């Protein structure tokens, strides 16, 4: 096996088309084409997402190679997201990876999108060594489609020890934003407004469940009923108090997330806690996990902003771990839409 391997990574699971070039775990380029087309619908429209991926994938790959200063002839393996995600979107990346793998006669490596979010902690940037977690560690993976507490035993061994029983935390943000008339994606909007509000203005039910699980459908309904009641009494309520409502809603969510992940770390006797996924870009969650870890003699790992939301660099890192573990994919692989470990 080569000591240095150049990986071309492709991510197309949802609404971002991304390509990255890595040398082992060092990211040489990481290009993301965001799809603006969904914002007018207040959520991702799967059919439109697939069409956008189809349009974007070739130019994004070209640009990623160009920025990395490499050509296709330099690439040793192609890593791609096999799932979970939207079937039509995944098919674009999968088919592209299969074609390139066959054309260049190089291995293709299947990557689980949720594992890749976690392994983003191992993405290095050139000339800047970053401290990485040590196995085993616990990761709170929070995205638009998933909420998981994962015991990470190695770069290829993941055990989900807690998860949501209904909506994902990202959905709780996005749906709340929709209720309040804020644009999609709602997470960054609520994050921004919450910073200006009073988190103790009102209380919302806890989203923590038994053991290390969560439920987020109730809090969204409780927000809806709360606003209906307040708006009946004062039609201007939301204009006057949107910051406070966002702050209180976020306070309840983050409190439960931090409580459950710290409980899991104690139960499994693990000292390092990492955050991953799109919602780990949340400023309050990033702050609270650091504070609570410090109080509990634990070390927090907060991902770089550029690697929080969907990106191909994390797919490349996961691909690298799979590759050195001799886990290469096949031309007959079919995308999967739901999480499987
Ligand atoms: O991981 P990701 O990019 O895509 C999925 O795999 O789902 O996560 C997207 C989710 C969206 O729900 C978005 O609202 C949320 O991450 N998000 C945030 C923030 N930035 C993105 N949620 C809260 N605060 C943020 N700053
Ligand atoms: Zn994601």
């Amino acid at each position: 096996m080569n000591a240095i391997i150049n990986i071309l990574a492709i991510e197309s699971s949802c609404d971002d088309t991304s390509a990255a070039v890595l040398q082992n775990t060092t990211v040489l380029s990481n290009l993301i084409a965001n799809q603006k087309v969904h914002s007018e619908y207040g959520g991702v429209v799967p059919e439109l997402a697939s069409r956008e991926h189809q349009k974007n994938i070739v130019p994004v790959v070209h640009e990623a190679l160009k920025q990395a200063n490499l050509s296709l002839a330099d690439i040793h393996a192609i890593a791609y997201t096999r799932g979970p995600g939207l079937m039509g979107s995944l098919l674009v990346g999968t088919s592209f990876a299969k074609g390139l793998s066959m054309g260049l006669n190089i291995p293709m490596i299947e990557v689980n999108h949720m594992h890749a979010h976690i392994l983003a902690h191992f993405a290095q940037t050139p000339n800047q060594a970053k401290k990485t977690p040590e196995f085993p560690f616990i990761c709170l993976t929070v995205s638009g489609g998933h909420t998981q507490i994962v015991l990470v035993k190695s770069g290829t061994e993941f055990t989900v020890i807690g998860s949501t029983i209904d909506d994902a935390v990202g959905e709780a943000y996005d749906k709340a934003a929709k209720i309040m008339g804020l644009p999609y994606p709602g997470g960054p909007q609520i994050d921004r407004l919450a910073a200006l509000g009073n988190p103790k203005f009102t209380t919302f039910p806890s989203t923590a469940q038994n053991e290390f699980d969560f439920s987020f459908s109730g809090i969204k309904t409780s927000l809806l009923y709360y606003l209906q009641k307040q708006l009946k009494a004062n039609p201007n309520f939301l204009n006057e108090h949107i910051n406070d409502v966002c702050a209180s809603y976020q306070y309840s969510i983050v409190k439960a997330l931090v409580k459950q992940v710290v409980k899991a770390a104690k139960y499994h006797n693990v000292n390092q806690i990492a955050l991953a996924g799109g919602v780990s870009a949340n400023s309050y969650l990033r702050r609270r996990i650091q504070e609570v870890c410090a109080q509990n003699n634990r070390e927090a790992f907060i991902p770089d902003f550029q690697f929080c939301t969907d990106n191909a660099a994390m797919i490349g890192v996961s691909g690298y771990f799979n590759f050195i573990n001799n886990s290469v994919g096949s031309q007959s692989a079919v995308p999967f839409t739901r999480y499987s470990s």
Side-chain angles (χ1 to χ4, degrees):
M1 188 189 296
N2 296 319
I4 288 185
I5 68 155
N6 295 329
I7 296 177
L8 172 66
I10 309 289
E11 155 62 29
S12 73
S13 66
C14 191
D15 60 339
D16 294 314
T17 319
S18 182
V21 176
L22 288 86
Q23 206 150 66
N24 296 354
T25 56
T26 300
V27 182
L28 304 182
S29 66
N30 185 29
L31 267 285
I32 303 171
N34 296 118
Q35 301 182 358
K36 302 277 175 274
V37 62
H38 307 286
S39 58
E40 63 184 284
Y41 300 97
V44 177
V45 183
E47 175 68 22
L48 295 180
S50 323
R51 289 171 192 225
E52 289 291 298
H53 285 307
Q54 198 72 52
K55 258 195 269 171
N56 294 339
I57 195 153
V58 170
V60 167
V61 167
H62 266 294
E63 190 56 30
L65 286 164
K66 197 171 145 201
Q67 287 192 14
N69 233 343
L70 292 180
S71 70
L72 280 176
D74 301 311
I75 300 298
H76 302 118
I78 173 155
Y80 73 100
T81 309
R82 187 174 165 199
L86 302 169
M87 182 48 93
S89 293
L90 290 166
L91 274 169
V92 177
T94 305
S95 305
F96 185 89
K98 285 183 181 180
L100 208 54
S101 153
M102 201 181 258
L104 297 173
N105 197 21
I106 56 173
M108 53 195 282
I109 316 168
E110 298 167 12
V111 171
N112 180 311
H113 181 88
M114 298 312 292
H115 299 168
H117 267 302
I118 298 172
L119 296 174
H121 281 281
F122 296 84
Q124 300 287 354
T125 38
N127 312 319
Q128 206 184 4
K130 179 175 76 183
K131 189 177 178 204
T132 56
E134 280 163 30
F135 302 112
F137 64 94
I138 293 269
C139 189
L140 173 67
T141 315
V142 275
S143 74
H146 296 82
T147 305
Q148 297 177 334
I149 295 179
V150 186
L151 180 61
V152 189
K153 295 181 205 138
S154 74
T156 55
E157 294 169 286
F158 306 81
T159 307
V160 178
I161 55 173
S163 58
T164 176
I165 59 169
D166 41 49
D167 290 353
V169 63
E171 272 177 286
Y173 271 97
D174 295 336
K175 287 179 178 173
K178 203 170 179 179
I179 291 171
M180 292 186 280
L182 298 168
Y184 177 87
Q189 310 288 337
I190 293 182
D191 188 1
R192 185 174 50 83
L193 298 176
L196 310 168
N198 173 9
K200 302 282 172 66
F201 181 74
T202 183
T203 50
F204 289 104
S206 173
T207 58
Q209 297 284 298
N210 289 340
E211 293 257 275
F212 313 124
D213 289 339
F214 302 94
S215 163
F216 293 98
S217 67
I219 191 166
K220 166 202 74 192
T221 316
S222 126
L223 171 72
L224 182 67
Y225 290 158
Y226 172 76
L227 287 178
Q228 282 173 349
K229 194 172 153 209
Q230 298 299 329
L231 286 167
K232 216 168 157 187
N234 170 13
N236 219 19
F237 177 80
L238 208 47
N239 290 337
E240 288 165 13
H241 290 295
I242 192 161
N243 298 345
D244 298 325
V245 174
C246 287
S248 303
Y249 187 80
Q250 173 165 280
Y251 176 82
S252 173
I253 288 180
V254 170
K255 190 173 175 190
L257 289 174
V258 172
K259 176 180 135 186
Q260 295 294 71
V261 73
V262 170
K263 190 165 78 174
K266 284 182 179 165
Y267 182 84
H268 287 277
N269 210 6
V270 168
N271 285 324
Q272 297 187 329
I273 298 177
L275 293 183
V279 183
S280 66
N282 184 267
S283 53
Y284 184 56
L285 175 60
R286 293 166 83 90
R287 193 169 81 232
R288 278 307 289 158
I289 196 81
Q290 294 187 78
E291 288 167 0
V292 176
C293 278
Q295 287 157 9
N296 286 277
N297 284 328
R298 281 179 165 77
E299 192 177 1
F301 283 81
I302 312 292
D304 293 347
F305 275 115
Q306 57 172 331
F307 300 134
C308 286
T309 44
D310 291 347
N311 66 87
M314 68 184 197
I315 304 301
V317 177
S318 184
Y320 174 75
F321 278 107
N322 287 345
F323 189 81
I324 59 172
N325 202 40
N326 293 321
S327 174
V328 291
S330 87
Q331 282 284 337
S332 56
V334 179
F336 55 89
T337 54
R338 302 181 76 84
Y339 179 83
S340 61
S341 51

